[in-house]
Amino acid sequence: MILVVGGCGYVGTHVVKALLTAGHQVTVLDDLSSGQAELLPGGELVLGDMGDRALLDELLGSRRVRGVVHLASLLNVAESVADPARYYRSNTSKSLTLLEAMVAHGVQSLVFSSSAAVYGEPVGLPIGEHHPCRPINPYGASKWMVERMLQDFSSAYGLASVSLRYFNAAGADPQGHMGECHEPETHLIPLAIQAALGRRPALVRYGRDYATEDGTCIRDFVHVEDLAAAHLKALDYLWRGGESAAFNLGSGRGYSVQEVLDSVRRVTGCAVPVRDAPRREGDPARLEADIGLAQRELGWLPRRSELDTIVRDAWRWEIRRREVRQGRP
Ligand code: UFG
């Protein structure tokens, strides 16, 4: 059985779907603080907190757990700046409780959902895994601290782990059953689609004066289904005896904010109403991943991460999501 902590979230539900499709038994531990039980595609759901050691002892002691996928985390950068204690408590301290419980119960394989935010301001592009890790906000620091603990837990206790550093997770289930629903939503693609559909007055475009071709920021978007596939590859890698490591997950190609808006217009047939605003604090001009290591070591290749495909899947989900909310599934 695979224990998926945070399996009711955006990436988590896709990971659960991929695990079930591959024939794994899945137990999800989620406190539903941001995840949604109704989007879980199957498996057993245990409601509870990753920081509850007694619950973890019960779960890990009563089931044959072959591996843990840990995706439970708060993820709003601005919120982490305003309330770092909450981020270090939820993302870092509770992760330590999970790691200790795994060691106590002899569960030795962990896939951890990390972030490109561990790198901070890029000093060279594309960003490879050896790029210095100097996070510039508490969210990134809270992830980096877990990665550091994992390195030490690997050496000292033999807990083998893969940290997956997501760049910009985007898109939705191609069948339209699962997708992004953060509350509040802060991510570019869902906000741009909602604006195109008239569900928001406008997309606020943060900054047109960056040193990029069209003056807007460049990001590396990776389809959530590609991300999910990488978690299975990472488990296989660990079960084959692979060493603890961190891997970038992106598409390897950046698109500007303006290119995203153009894609939304192409896909939806509606122009995105835009309101220009100054730069958002802490946004680097350009983030692009070097994904060669994940390709070589995990045998992973993004397959759905072309921009229009991502936007099309996200758009279908946005429409479907409204129907689900209105009771027309
Ligand atoms: N943007 C806008 N308007 C919006 C929202 C975003 O112009 O309303 C722009 C941002 O300024 C940025 C780009 O769109 O240039 C992407 O912004 P997102 O908020 O969608 O994503 P980020 O790149 O800021 O964040 C992502 C992940 C975080 C992670 C961060 C750093 O979502 O979890 O990368 O790696 F911390």
Side-chain angles (χ1 to χ4, degrees):
M1 183 271 273
I2 311 297
L3 176 64
V4 182
V5 186
C8 292
Y10 171 42
V11 181
T13 48
H14 288 82
V15 170
V16 171
K17 180 184 174 189
L19 285 167
L20 293 171
T21 304
H24 292 286
Q25 283 197 321
V26 174
T27 295
V28 167
L29 172 63
D30 202 300
D31 64 2
L32 299 184
S33 55
S34 58
Q36 283 166 302
E38 62 274 23
L39 297 185
L40 194 64
E44 176 196 20
L45 172 60
V46 176
L47 286 181
D49 186 336
M50 172 176 72
D52 180 345
R53 177 62 192 265
L55 175 60
L56 291 175
D57 284 337
E58 204 276 311
L59 271 176
L60 297 174
S62 63
R63 291 156 170 82
R64 284 199 38 212
V65 181
R66 281 192 78 200
V68 174
V69 181
H70 166 20
L71 313 107
S73 131
L74 302 172
L75 50 65
N76 185 320
V77 171
E79 189 180 73
S80 82
V81 174
D83 191 0
R86 196 165 156 238
Y87 275 68
Y88 292 122
R89 167 81 51 211
S90 291
N91 292 3
T92 311
S93 164
K94 289 183 181 182
S95 293
L96 176 58
T97 305
L98 174 66
L99 305 191
E100 287 179 309
M102 288 180 67
V103 171
H105 292 274
V107 180
Q108 296 202 315
S109 305
L110 173 73
V111 178
F112 171 58
S113 147
S114 187
S115 167
V118 299
Y119 293 118
E121 191 66 42
V123 293
L125 288 164
I127 300 174
E129 286 81 355
H130 291 300
H131 183 286
C133 289
R134 294 192 207 110
I136 53 170
N137 52 59
Y139 166 71
S142 73
K143 291 283 184 184
W144 174 235
M145 287 177 187
V146 177
E147 286 204 26
R148 281 293 299 117
M149 293 195 291
L150 287 174
Q151 291 169 17
D152 296 337
F153 270 60
S154 177
S155 316
Y157 311 124
L159 174 64
S161 64
V162 165
S163 296
L164 296 175
R165 295 176 179 162
Y166 310 164
F167 279 66
N168 287 66
D173 174 40
Q175 278 80 45
H177 297 308
M178 305 163 328
E180 201 162 359
C181 22
H182 298 119
E183 221 25 86
E185 189 53 77
T186 60
H187 293 107
L188 175 65
I189 290 180
L191 291 177
I193 291 171
Q194 288 166 16
L197 296 177
R199 294 174 184 174
R200 292 183 182 267
L203 183 277
V204 181
R205 181 167 49 195
Y206 296 121
R208 296 187 70 188
D209 56 350
Y210 285 94
T212 59
E213 289 75 1
D214 62 25
T216 64
C217 287
I218 291 177
R219 291 291 180 273
D220 184 334
F221 298 93
V222 55
H223 196 291
V224 64
E225 202 172 75
D226 286 333
L227 284 183
H231 293 71
L232 272 72
K233 300 259 185 198
L235 282 170
D236 283 336
Y237 164 90
L238 291 172
W239 292 332
R240 285 197 311 270
E243 282 185 14
S244 294
F247 299 109
N248 286 340
L249 298 180
S251 71
R253 173 190 193 309
Y255 291 95
S256 72
V257 168
Q258 188 53 50
E259 284 177 303
V260 170
L261 301 182
D262 294 343
S263 169
V264 171
R265 183 180 35 72
R266 270 195 306 277
V267 167
T268 65
C270 309
V272 181
V274 170
R275 180 165 68 77
D276 279 307
R279 293 179 177 197
R280 195 173 65 175
E281 207 183 323
D283 273 342
R286 193 183 277 264
L287 289 177
E288 278 169 307
D290 179 343
I291 56 171
L293 196 64
Q295 288 177 353
R296 288 191 299 278
E297 296 292 326
L298 302 182
W300 175 78
L301 258 184
R303 299 193 182 282
R304 265 192 105 71
S305 293
E306 198 270 322
L307 182 59
D308 281 7
T309 306
I310 287 177
V311 170
R312 190 168 300 110
D313 288 346
W315 173 53
R316 280 209 205 97
W317 163 246
E318 192 58 50
I319 290 167
R320 155 102 183 156
R321 179 184 161 192
R322 172 68 69 95
E323 289 170 356
V324 171
R325 269 209 307 258
Q326 291 172 345
R328 288 190 275 125

